[in-house]
Amino acid sequence: MDDRMVIGRFFRTYGASGVGDTPPQPYLPLINDEETTDSPDTMDLNIEMPAEQWAGRIVSEAPAKTGEHPVRFIDGSLSALPVLCLRPPEGWPIPVLVSELGAVALRLTGRSLIRELALVERVLSFVADPFPWAEIEAFARAVVNDAELTARFVPANRPPAERSPFDYEVMRAQAYHRCEQEMLNAERLVLASDSMTPTLVDGKLAGRIGSNRAADRPLLVGIVKRVSSNLHAEGWRTLLGLRPGQRTPLFRLSGIGGGKEADMPTASWFLKLVGGPRLAPNWGFVRVDVPWVQFERHFGSSLGFVGRLSRWLIDARCRQESYSRMPVSLEPIVRAEYSLKSLFTPFGVLRNRFLRQAGVIGGSH
């Protein structure tokens, strides 16, 4: 039996029907690297000054020295939407997500950003537990070998016991989270491809590299766009009162989400990139993370380094007002995102290919 017959039979057996996208329900927990929150016992707020004396710090105009700023920039991207819904014997709605994902590295060469490496992959994901494993294996082989689809199937985890498998959004979220993990794997590979160049990653460092691997490499910077809800009261007052070009005092972040990321203690601070009357008070700043082991060994726990790196980041901020996340974005990362997305197949093309395989449009196979 050829690949298309295997795919078509699987879809027909389990009543595949075409579906559109639905917005995520707000109560669902997300595991995006920008969505996790920091647990209160992981932040040492007394590094630069006592926590109760926190106040905004003006970033100096001193330029960063060689080795104190990134010249390589890594970003990942994910486009994942449901195209079909399956119905196993249990009656659960199983959304089938089609995604393209990947990661890219841009290198600053002179005044130009050059695409150095890009990994792009097409991935298909859904909760596979309700289906016979032999059928899943045959389906996975057929999908990856089909010349039109060439998608790697990654089974999503069954939802936790407290979540109903009859909730379509729960099942969709499980598949989306699985695709996110594949994107994170692509970012890890791109990061590991060069351990000799000062590098900035869009997102948290934890989960992408461990402290033991960060110790011997040059500067590594993580830029996080989400603020911990567990910041102390004086910290919140300081943060919300920052003006562009100011930062919070330095703190040590040593574990996140119940210890999941305790392998990457960081020297961290919040930096205000942009302000103005059109911005909400909780918008326009990012968290800067540098591995604590690097901060101590390479930069001598120097607050001068913190100021010089902060100045470099402010100068590198995005200035495209048409870009929706401009207030919390750096120009090299925006360029990396555009560079990577230009390699993706238009989603409408992918959707129609899978709908044809399922017999939803263009006849059945």
Side-chain angles (χ1 to χ4, degrees), residues 79 83 98-100 121-123 148-151 344-356:
S79 172
V83 297
V98 176
S99 69
E100 277 199 310
E121 186 176 21
R122 193 172 297 157
V123 166
E148 273 198 338
L149 305 181
T150 58
F344 286 4
T345 306
F347 185 77
V349 173
L350 293 182
R351 177 193 294 272
N352 286 340
R353 289 176 183 175
F354 277 91
L355 291 178
R356 281 198 303 270

Side-chain angles (χ1 to χ4, degrees), residues 62-200:
K65 302 175 183 178
T66 301
E68 289 186 341
H69 67 86
V71 296
R72 189 171 185 254
F73 305 90
I74 294 176
D75 188 27
S77 188
L78 167 64
S79 172
L81 293 171
V83 297
L84 295 166
C85 182
L86 305 177
R87 286 300 181 101
E90 293 86 349
W92 302 340
I94 307 287
V96 177
L97 265 66
V98 176
S99 69
E100 277 199 310
L101 55 87
V104 66
L106 298 189
R107 182 181 292 270
L108 183 62
T109 304
R111 301 185 66 179
S112 300
L113 287 165
I114 308 299
R115 187 165 68 199
E116 177 182 82
L117 175 64
L119 300 178
V120 176
E121 186 176 21
R122 193 172 297 157
V123 166
L124 185 71
S125 185
F126 56 84
V127 175
D129 277 4
F131 307 100
W133 192 246
E135 293 183 19
I136 289 292
E137 288 183 325
F139 174 80
R141 284 193 300 268
V143 167
V144 77
N145 289 326
D146 185 274
E148 273 198 338
L149 305 181
T150 58
R152 182 166 62 92
F153 174 68
V154 289
N157 293 330
R158 184 170 176 166
E162 62 271 18
R163 297 290 188 187
S164 170
F166 287 97
D167 190 324
Y168 175 88
E169 180 59 24
V170 167
M171 302 302 257
R172 186 211 61 84
Q174 291 300 109
Y176 188 85
H177 295 164
R178 186 65 177 87
C179 294
E180 282 186 315
Q181 291 303 312
E182 294 304 310
M183 183 189 72
L184 181 59
N185 289 339
E187 291 183 11
R188 291 191 187 108
L189 290 173
V190 171
L191 177 60
S193 67
D194 183 348
S195 61
M196 304 301 292
T197 304
T199 299
L200 182 144

